[in-house]
Amino acid sequence: MIELRNLSRHYGATRVLDGVSLTLEPGRFTALLGPSGCGKSTLLRLVAGLDRPSTGQILFDGRDVAQESPSERNVAMVFQAYALYPHLTVAQNIALPLAMRRLGRLGRSPLGALSPAVRRTRATLARDVRAVAELLEIVPLLARKPAQLSGGQQQRVALARALVRDPSVFLLDEPLSNLDARLRIQMRAELVALHRRTGHTFLYVTHDQAEAMAMAERIAVMLDGRIAQVGSPRALYERPATCDVAGFIGAHPINLIPGPPEGGLPPALASGQPAPERPLVVGLRPEHLTPAADGPVQGRLDRVAFQGDVQVLGLRLEADGTPLRATAPPDWPAPDAGSAVRLGYRPEHLHLFDAAHGTRIANPGEESSCA
Amino acid sequence: MRAPRLLSFALLLIGAAVVLLPFYWMVSLSFKAPDEIFTPTLDLWPNALRWQNYAAALSRTNLLLYLWNGTVVCAGILVFQLLFAVPCAYALAQRRFRGRTLVFGLILAGLLVPFHVTAIPLFLGLARFGLIDTYAALIVPFIASVFGMFLFRQAFAVMPAALFDAARVDGLSEFQIVWRIAFPLALPAATAFGIFSVVAHWNDLFWPLIATTSPDLATPPRGILYFRDRESGDDVGPLMAAAVLVVAPMVVGFLMAQRAFIRGIAAGGLKG
């Protein structure tokens, strides 16, 4: 188990991490999700041991590892640009971490071949390299140099190099961001399968919420150097803790509509349900706002984007012109731009946030419980 | 399209001829007999390939010893230069420490100081340690090369930092990163630096003249000097043969290094 306790990191006056606490349970796939510049890569480097926290503790199974090097912590890491050694073959790239761990200075030198013990170690090493290469289906590439590989193949080699030893934690820094869209979707599934097969603790950094939602068992959303919310993909989607988290999660950006200053729901949305009498911001996801003949929301259609499985509608509220996103099934007969459209939603899909702090207010329709 | 190409070819050929003519003349003279050298007409090509001049060059002076001395001095200088410059450049390019900018500034300033300025203090220092007229006197003044530090620093600075982070995660120490990862990737820079260093010190006459007096320690250029002054007088043929023998290792070495240089660039193809 890996525990981060109140970690802060600043460079001069710039505070990159501000009191981050997070627990990584063994064998779980945790995603660290946040926009670029939120400090998620810095946090990953702290866990890896490539950087030291300004304050706070990092515990691996209860042991404070603050002063330990990455190899003493036995972390494995996959980098965004793969960081394969260009002058070594794929097999040498994968074998290097094992060789550093298992062979002494003499064993790594050409003279090592004279010692039977070293020869035995080298043979098991070659076997381990081959086993991990088979796992990732890169056996035919073992003799090549990284420059002769495609992006997807380099990605697999980087994974193999990280997996070949038995790491305490497997750190991935946006490993899919350099792949094309189709390969990315494929590698998502492979990474999840790899996680299941190896049972290692994964910490996966990404700025892509779809990636985090699709792969992770737990997501920690990071905003401005703080952890904004930790939870399952479903919990983040259904019960975002703040406006900002709600804005970050979801394939279609959520509608955030301010209510009237005296409190209650915005009149244009309201369909008579009760609401707290204090200033609110109301969140309503486009996928929950759909055309309905008798719906309470009156909008005027700006544009329709057909996406195959769904049509995304851009509208303005009839009452005050507030822009709004909604969705319709693909077979919905879209009227011309400028037409009036009535939309409906289910009250339990409304997210209520405090207008001043952006924190979630329990919807009258749900159990009030603060996690 | 065709005419500018022809023009640039013509200019290149003229340039090459201007550069190569003295070398050609040296080789040509080294094969000529004395009466053939001093003729009123200009014969570009020797009448016959005569090896006597080479035999004379090798027998009348200790040319092989001078070539050996040059090899020892150049190899010693290059090995120590790499040993110091490469880790220093790595630290400057990829490590963060207090005073880094200042140290790099000092190195840049060091690039501006001509060697001749430091010659007298160096001579006095070596004299104090009793090292004058030894191999050490020819090697030690050059082992810290600011040019090498600068060149390698520039090469290391453009390498992705993630590569070195990956090596740290894989369990390499900083020195292992320098020699196992950074240096092999900087092979093109190392080749270029090697050419600069070896050519400069092989051809250096100034410092060997100051630091050594013993003929046994003469480097090739100083050897040629002996050759001309004492032994063979105005015997141009053997002198040219000696010059050919002195220059040949540099030319051969450069041509070989040039191939490695291009291979190094092709193999070290880093993305980004």
Side-chain angles (χ1 to χ4, degrees):
Chain A
M1 187 158 82
I2 294 172
E3 275 182 278
L4 313 180
R5 285 194 193 152
N6 212 12
L7 285 184
S8 294
R9 181 72 173 100
H10 32 83
Y11 300 98
T14 326
R15 188 170 276 271
V16 183
L17 289 181
D18 192 4
V20 170
S21 296
L22 184 65
T23 305
L24 305 179
E25 282 155 38
R28 297 289 283 277
F29 192 132
T30 306
L32 199 56
L33 174 66
S36 47
C38 74
K40 56 191 191 300
S41 288
T42 306
L43 186 59
L44 197 72
R45 291 175 59 82
L46 291 182
V47 177
L50 291 168
D51 195 5
R52 302 265 180 271
S54 305
T55 57
Q57 282 182 303
I58 303 171
L59 305 176
F60 278 36
D61 294 325
R63 173 178 103 251
D64 191 346
V65 295
Q67 299 308 318
E68 290 185 8
S69 71
S71 61
E72 287 168 320
R73 299 181 192 193
N74 192 20
V75 299
M77 191 157 169
V78 175
F79 293 84
Q80 189 173 0
Y82 318 135
L84 301 176
Y85 311 119
H87 58 302
L88 303 180
T89 64
V90 167
Q92 288 168 328
N93 261 283
I94 299 174
L96 187 63
L98 284 186
M100 297 309 298
R101 192 162 283 268
R102 296 191 195 157
L103 291 172
R105 191 174 291 273
L106 182 75
R108 292 194 301 268
S109 77
L111 280 177
L114 299 175
S115 144
V118 167
R119 275 209 303 274
R120 267 198 303 279
T121 315
R122 282 187 184 176
T124 57
L125 209 141
R127 251 200 317 280
D128 290 354
V129 168
R130 191 153 181 99
V132 78
E134 274 164 11
L135 181 69
L136 287 153
E137 294 164 15
I138 51 171
V139 175
L141 310 177
L142 283 176
R144 296 207 205 156
K145 292 271 178 74
Q148 297 164 290
L149 305 179
S150 71
Q153 291 170 331
Q154 292 189 24
Q155 174 69 76
R156 283 164 189 277
V157 176
L159 285 170
R161 183 177 63 180
L163 276 174
V164 71
R165 61 206 134 142
D166 195 33
S168 57
V169 60
F170 199 69
L171 307 171
L172 301 106
D173 189 4
E174 312 216 6
L176 303 187
S177 58
N178 284 3
L179 301 179
D180 61 56
R182 178 186 292 265
L183 201 52
R184 205 177 309 163
I185 305 283
Q186 184 195 333
M187 282 306 289
R188 273 186 201 169
E190 291 198 19
L191 277 177
V192 171
L194 208 58
H195 170 247
R196 227 173 261 138
R197 221 170 326 159
T198 58
H200 287 307
T201 310
F202 274 43
L203 181 58
Y204 186 99
V205 162
T206 179
H207 64 268
D208 181 349
Q209 62 87 27
E211 216 168 272
M213 298 283 275
M215 298 169 71
E217 297 166 288
R218 269 168 95 245
I219 300 178
V221 180
M222 229 179 139
L223 297 165
D224 288 329
R226 293 164 176 276
I227 302 268
Q229 190 176 1
V230 183
S232 68
R234 180 178 287 273
L236 292 186
Y237 180 81
E238 291 181 347
R239 299 162 61 87
T242 68
C243 262
D244 295 330
V245 174
F248 203 75
I249 300 284
H252 308 294
I254 193 170
N255 295 302
L256 291 168
I257 307 143
E262 66 275 8
L265 296 175
L269 280 186
S271 55
Q273 71 266 48
E277 288 305 308
R278 59 198 239 205
L280 294 176
V281 171
V282 174
L284 180 56
R285 295 196 182 278
E287 51 270 41
H288 296 142
L289 183 63
T290 50
D294 53 352
V297 184
Q298 295 186 42
R300 201 157 278 282
L301 194 63
D302 273 346
R303 61 192 183 283
V304 179
F306 180 76
Q307 294 186 350
D309 58 336
V310 70
Q311 301 187 74
V312 180
L313 316 180
L315 309 115
R316 290 180 179 281
L317 278 180
E318 196 76 83
D320 53 5
T322 311
L324 212 58
R325 280 173 299 273
T327 54
D331 55 357
W332 182 67
D336 293 336
S339 316
V341 177
R342 290 188 81 92
L343 303 152
Y345 62 91
R346 305 227 308 267
E348 66 265 29
H349 284 143
L350 284 186
H351 303 277
L352 306 183
F353 300 104
D354 183 276
H357 307 103
T359 49
R360 181 180 189 83
I361 301 167
N363 192 320
E366 70 187 25
E367 299 267 312
S368 74
S369 66
C370 279
Chain B
M1 184 65 201
R2 253 186 99 73
R5 211 173 147 73
L6 273 176
L7 184 71
S8 58
F9 261 125
L11 285 174
L12 276 174
L13 280 176
I14 293 168
V18 168
V19 172
L20 288 178
L21 194 63
F23 284 93
Y24 174 76
W25 196 234
M26 172 180 77
V27 175
S28 175
L29 286 180
S30 75
F31 286 113
K32 287 180 178 176
D35 57 332
E36 200 185 341
I37 292 172
F38 298 102
T39 53
T41 56
L42 192 69
D43 291 323
L44 282 180
W45 196 250
N47 291 334
L49 285 184
R50 274 180 254 272
W51 296 96
Q52 290 95 312
N53 288 335
Y54 286 88
L58 288 171
S59 62
R60 278 194 225 162
T61 68
N62 214 343
L63 194 58
L64 286 178
L65 175 68
Y66 305 151
L67 291 173
W68 170 247
N69 285 342
T71 310
V72 169
V73 168
C74 285
I77 288 174
L78 185 60
V79 165
F80 281 108
Q81 278 178 335
L82 291 177
L83 212 57
F84 292 126
V86 172
C88 171
Y90 171 78
L92 281 172
Q94 295 286 349
R95 304 280 304 168
R96 303 279 170 274
F97 56 91
R98 204 179 286 271
R100 188 171 75 128
T101 328
L102 178 72
V103 172
F104 188 51
L106 288 175
I107 284 173
L108 288 180
L111 276 177
L112 302 177
V113 180
F115 173 72
H116 310 81
V117 172
T118 58
I120 292 174
L122 274 174
F123 180 85
L124 294 175
L126 289 169
R128 179 69 53 90
F129 286 109
L131 290 175
I132 291 298
D133 211 18
T134 60
Y135 273 138
L138 294 174
I139 294 172
V140 170
F142 304 103
I143 59 176
S145 163
V146 283
F147 174 64
M149 290 170 196
F150 177 74
L151 200 72
F152 282 109
R153 187 252 173 213
Q154 298 307 86
F156 293 155
V158 297
M159 292 180 188
L163 207 55
F164 303 119
D165 280 341
R168 283 175 198 127
V169 171
D170 284 345
L172 275 72
S173 71
E174 294 298 300
F175 269 103
Q176 285 167 333
I177 291 174
V178 168
W179 295 112
R180 293 179 69 109
I181 308 293
F183 183 64
L185 291 179
L187 216 53
T191 312
F193 176 68
I195 291 172
F196 281 126
S197 168
V198 169
V199 168
H201 294 111
W202 183 267
N203 291 338
D204 188 23
L205 181 60
F206 172 76
W207 183 249
L209 271 181
I210 292 179
T212 59
T213 49
S214 152
D216 291 343
L217 286 172
T219 53
R222 227 183 110 218
I224 292 180
L225 222 55
Y226 279 128
F227 187 98
R228 188 182 168 192
D229 286 347
R230 291 189 195 152
E231 316 276 343
S232 44
D234 286 316
D235 203 352
V236 174
L239 176 60
M240 285 299 136
V244 168
L245 290 174
V246 165
V247 167
M250 291 298 98
V251 174
V252 172
F254 177 77
L255 290 179
M256 277 163 54
Q258 197 191 26
R259 280 174 56 194
F261 187 85
I262 290 164
R263 206 171 47 228
I265 289 175
L270 265 176
K271 202 176 162 186

